[in-house]
Amino acid sequence: MGFKEGGLCHLTTATTTVTFSDADTQPLALSQSSNVNQTLSLLQSDDVNLRVQAAVEIRRLTKTSQRYRRHFSGAVKPLVDMLLCDSIEAKEAALAALLNLAVKDETNKINIIDAGALEPIIGFLQSEDPTLEEHAIAALITLSASSVNKPIISASGAIPLLVETLRHGSSQTKSDAVMALYNLSTHPENVSLILRTEPIPPLVDLLKSCKKSSKTAERCTGLIELLVGFEEGRTILTSEEGGILAVVEVLESGSLQSREHAVGTLLTMCESDRCKYREPILREGVIPGLLELTVQGTPKSQSKAQTLLRLLRDNPYPRSELQPNTLENIVCNIISRIDGEDQTGKAKQMLAEMVQVSMEKSLKHLQQRALVCTPADLPISNCASEVPSK
């Protein structure tokens, strides 16, 4: 068993005690290197309990230490072999150790796949043991961060199982499955493979239930933005009850990155077929959120929001020189086509608020510039600290 004493961890077995230092600021001392080698030897033991203890210790030491991840790289193969044990405890301990070895270590990520870990990990996605399933999905998140591993993982059959987890998994495994799928989607050829598994309905369901400012919502909308690059994806999202509304809600209250994905999703749809998708998007009350993005979004969000506003108006092109393509004229054109006085009033009020915010931000910027440009002979000591550093 393991116990702590004076900042050191002692791994006690039937014949030996292996001691490790928690310090991560100096290279491994000779005695520490020897202890690492002893732990690696324990992984080759015929006693499953000793192998589990060694895996647990490796997991602990590599949790936050890049140095130990490097020195325990030789543990990859015996840990992968442990994934094939009959013991659930051995599988969980080995998988957790492999997960920590892979964090922020590209070489270990690739070596873990090369050592044959993928097949048992894929099998664990269907395990009745919830801990094993959670560890397997977490491992796939980390392993799929490697550009080398992305096509290998997708070819292994992981994508359909991850989407199945999206449909029927626990709250945690659903969130983790989205993370893994998002990582895989950054390999262009994987996007069409993901689309074939019909992930949009469960993605929409998850988007409806999760916190709109969460990382889960960010990954959901990121995936949906990629999937609507295909006509099939656009059709499914539109036909899914509350699909476009879920995206609009993220556009209104998501994180900056989520909102960028959301407006990108709607813009992709409208640019692909304005006549087909303009009305479904307008019907979900997208205008207030778009107005806010034109002022408070990221530079990409602001640009996309303005472009989408132009496409959503009755005529996307200026009718004459007397009606320039200003934001005010674009919005007035749109709200004049919205049925109902309440909606029109709300949109006009939002526009006024956004103009006010824009004016305040412009005034603040001018004040900051004035401070920076104040002549050297004027006293500025009282306000210099208010100028943001560059």
Side-chain angles (χ1 to χ4, degrees):
M1 297 292 294
F3 63 95
K4 281 205 166 187
E5 179 183 32
L8 299 178
C9 180
H10 302 275
L11 177 61
T12 304
T13 70
T15 58
T16 185
T17 298
V18 183
T19 305
F20 302 91
S21 171
D22 282 334
D24 196 32
T25 58
Q26 301 294 331
L28 288 180
L30 183 61
S31 60
Q32 293 171 323
S33 295
S34 175
N35 289 335
V36 167
N37 291 332
Q38 290 180 40
T39 305
L40 292 174
S41 297
L42 288 177
L43 287 176
Q44 306 289 349
S45 172
D46 293 333
D47 188 333
V48 173
N49 291 328
L50 294 182
R51 294 165 71 186
V52 168
Q53 290 180 39
V56 168
E57 189 62 10
I58 291 171
R59 176 191 183 185
R60 187 189 72 82
L61 290 170
T62 57
K63 183 175 182 179
T64 58
S65 172
Q66 189 63 35
R67 179 170 56 104
Y68 273 114
R69 291 177 194 133
R70 182 176 66 252
H71 285 282
F72 276 114
S73 60
V76 167
K77 185 62 173 70
L79 287 170
V80 169
D81 291 341
M82 283 179 67
L83 298 179
L84 304 176
C85 289
D86 293 332
S87 166
I88 293 293
E89 184 184 11
K91 291 175 180 178
E92 291 179 356
L95 192 52
L98 287 168
L99 174 60
N100 283 357
L101 281 169
V103 173
K104 297 181 181 180
D105 194 305
E106 181 74 7
T107 299
N108 282 347
K109 286 182 176 72
I110 296 171
N111 289 343
I112 289 169
I113 295 292
D114 288 345
L118 196 52
E119 184 175 350
I121 288 175
I122 297 300
F124 297 157
L125 292 179
Q126 304 172 79
S127 173
E128 295 181 358
D129 182 271
T131 302
L132 201 54
E133 182 187 9
E134 289 177 8
H135 283 348
I137 298 178
L140 285 177
I141 293 174
T142 302
L143 295 173
S144 62
S146 165
S147 59
V148 175
N149 290 342
K150 293 178 194 292
I152 300 173
I153 294 173
S154 61
S156 71
I159 289 175
L161 294 174
L162 289 169
V163 173
E164 189 63 20
T165 300
L166 270 183
R167 294 190 179 96
H168 305 296
S170 65
S171 176
Q172 183 60 54
T173 56
K174 284 181 179 180
S175 296
D176 287 347
V178 167
M179 300 290 184
L181 286 167
Y182 182 83
N183 280 354
L184 292 172
S185 73
T186 60
H187 184 70
E189 295 179 4
N190 286 344
V191 180
S192 59
L193 295 177
I194 294 172
L195 183 60
R196 291 176 197 169
T197 62
E198 301 182 358
I200 290 180
L203 282 173
V204 169
D205 287 341
L206 184 56
L207 202 52
K208 290 177 181 178
S209 62
C210 73
K211 188 176 180 180
K212 300 302 180 286
S213 59
S214 66
K215 186 65 71 172
T216 298
E218 184 177 310
R219 294 298 185 244
C220 278
T221 49
L223 271 172
I224 290 173
E225 182 181 13
L226 291 171
L227 295 170
V228 298
F230 298 82
E231 178 59 31
E232 181 183 353
R234 296 189 288 272
T235 301
I236 294 174
L237 180 63
T238 307
S239 61
E240 183 68 19
E241 184 177 358
I244 293 178
L245 177 59
V247 175
V248 170
E249 288 176 343
V250 173
L251 184 147
E252 293 175 337
S253 56
S255 67
L256 286 175
Q257 189 60 54
S258 295
R259 299 176 80 185
E260 188 174 303
H261 287 313
V263 71
T265 296
L266 301 176
L267 179 58
T268 297
M269 296 175 70
C270 211
E271 285 182 328
S272 70
D273 192 334
R274 177 178 174 275
C275 293
K276 183 176 181 180
Y277 296 113
R278 174 179 174 270
E279 287 301 325
I281 292 172
L282 277 175
R283 197 180 303 128
E284 301 301 349
V286 72
I287 301 304
L290 287 177
L291 289 174
E292 185 175 345
L293 272 186
T294 62
V295 177
Q296 297 181 331
T298 64
K300 283 186 178 180
S301 295
Q302 291 178 354
S303 175
K304 289 179 179 180
Q306 291 181 19
T307 302
L308 182 55
L309 282 168
R310 293 188 184 98
L311 290 172
L312 290 176
R313 75 182 195 171
D314 187 48
N315 182 352
Y317 307 103
R319 298 178 182 178
S320 70
E321 293 182 359
L322 298 177
Q323 291 182 310
N325 238 354
T326 62
L327 180 60
E328 290 81 3
N329 283 339
I330 291 169
V331 173
C332 287
N333 179 273
I334 293 172
I335 62 177
S336 68
R337 300 295 188 269
I338 300 177
D339 294 331
E341 294 182 1
D342 291 342
Q343 287 180 305
T344 302
K346 182 179 179 181
K348 288 181 177 178
Q349 181 182 358
M350 179 62 71
L351 176 59
E353 291 173 355
M354 289 304 102
V355 170
Q356 179 66 27
V357 171
S358 180
M359 291 175 63
E360 290 174 356
K361 291 183 69 175
S362 297
L363 179 60
K364 184 177 180 181
H365 178 66
L366 289 173
Q367 290 173 336
Q368 290 174 346
R369 287 190 61 189
L371 289 174
V372 172
C373 299
T374 301
D377 59 336
L378 294 181
I380 60 173
S381 58
N382 291 335
C383 56
S385 62
E386 296 179 8
V387 181
S389 59
K390 304 294 185 183

